[in-house]
Amino acid sequence: MVNPDDIVSYEYVKELAESGKGIIIDVRRPEERDTDGSIPSTVNIPLNDIAEAFAMSPEELSSKYGLNIHDVNDEIIFHCRSGARSQQAMEIARNNGYRSAKNYKGSITEWNAKTKR
């Protein structure tokens, strides 16, 4: 069951993306990003790589992917195309101790619909 507190809104993600202060991870395949675009300030770690990535320490994860994660309590937002893969990524991260992982369920589908008005 999905906890509503685990889900973030378009407005919240937009604020983080525009400020460059948030940690937003796109779990789609690179070719999907090429086709559908991406949310500004996101880092791409495909879902197939998430388990390995989040088994790393925050320092290793930050170094390998260019993130700014200080510890496992930092908020991390995951997104994909429609929210299913990002939900899986959030659960993997949480199972590895990253307790503040969240899901942008609207993902790139909602992002594109709202930003291309």
Side-chain angles (χ1 to χ4, degrees), residues 2 4 14 38 43 62 69 84 111 117:
V2 176
K14 184 173 189 276
S38 60
V43 172
S62 290
I69 300 173
W111 181 269
R117 287 184 187 168

Side-chain angles (χ1 to χ4, degrees), residues 40-84:
S41 303
T42 58
V43 172
N44 183 226
I45 306 175
L47 181 60
N48 290 343
D49 299 334
I50 288 291
E52 179 182 335
F54 280 85
M56 297 176 184
S57 71
E59 296 80 16
E60 293 170 315
L61 182 60
S62 290
S63 177
K64 181 168 183 174
Y65 293 101
L67 296 168
N68 190 23
I69 300 173
H70 300 288
D71 65 43
V72 295
N73 296 310
D74 287 353
E75 182 180 68
I76 301 167
I77 310 296
F78 291 98
H79 89 86
C80 60
R81 184 182 60 81
S82 61

